[in-house]
Amino acid sequence: SSELTQDPAVSVALGQTVRITCQGDSLRSYYASWYQQKPGQAPVLVIYGKNNRPSGIPDRFSGSSSGNTASLTITGAQAEDEADYYCNSRDSSGNHKVFGGGTKLTVL
Amino acid sequence: QVQLQESGPGLVKPSGTLSLTCVVSGGSISSSNWWSWVRQPPGKGLEWIGEIYHSGSTNYNPSLKSRVTISVDKSKNQLSLNLSSVTAADTAVYYCARWYWQIAATGTMEDWFDPWGQGTLVTVSS
């Protein structure tokens, strides 16, 4: 089992706002990074650090963190946002990387 | 911009050794980054396998440490993965990725994986 916990599935109506969460003790000390993965494709970085978006990532994607929980928020979800989302940070030792189990986002 | 490309056998026999290579283009593997391997079994999530720095320093997932070796060849600008004693549970798409970090204005480290290679499927079967 992963040291980062994500809800397996979340759904959102088109144009509405959705929050995907990631819980883990290491998140009290380290930021999470977030990845979007569509079927048959490699993961793509969407959020890193406190709340940074790589070039080319729409500004409807944002990140936040509080205590042991990191969140990825999509404001005004689009059909093309339907994908699996993974958080990443450290394990409890801080020495190794670990991914959350992933959240499948469905846009209704 | 840095690009990564994995390659290697798509089929490995049980109890054998899985060997993959990741070529780095558009940048030097000797830059101040760590280079990782990540895998994804069919229909499942991402699993970090381990990482290497150009100096040869490595960190491995504790659950795989006894079977994993990651190495770097600076002359070829590539990293390699060896996973021994494989079973069907090692069947997965294997990705290489650059792990990048920086210190934010707040003094906290920010880190992320980018870019990723396209991935290569390795099936363990007789």
Side-chain angles (χ1 to χ4, degrees), chain B residues 21-91:
Chain B
T21 297
C22 172
V23 175
V24 178
S25 60
S28 173
I29 203 167
S30 297
S31 58
S32 299
N33 304 296
W34 289 76
W35 305 89
S36 276
W37 287 97
V38 177
R39 71 179 181 178
Q40 184 173 37
K44 297 188 178 181
L46 301 171
E47 179 180 34
W48 179 75
I49 298 170
E51 63 185 359
I52 190 165
Y53 196 65
H54 62 79
S55 63
S57 295
T58 54
N59 291 308
Y60 298 131
N61 185 325
S63 69
L64 297 170
K65 186 175 182 178
S66 63
R67 298 193 292 130
V68 173
T69 302
I70 298 175
S71 58
V72 65
D73 186 333
K74 289 184 282 187
S75 67
K76 295 182 178 179
N77 220 37
Q78 67 185 36
L79 64 154
S80 297
L81 169 69
N82 279 356
L83 181 65
S84 63
S85 304
V86 297
T87 69
D90 295 309
T91 293

Side-chain angles (χ1 to χ4, degrees), chain A residues 35 37 52 90 96-97, chain B residues 40 51 60 109-110 113:
Chain A
Y35 303 86
Q37 187 181 37
N52 302 303
R90 311 298 185 86
H96 307 105
K97 281 69 173 180
Chain B
Q40 184 173 37
E51 63 185 359
Y60 298 131
M109 189 169 78
E110 301 177 327
F113 289 103

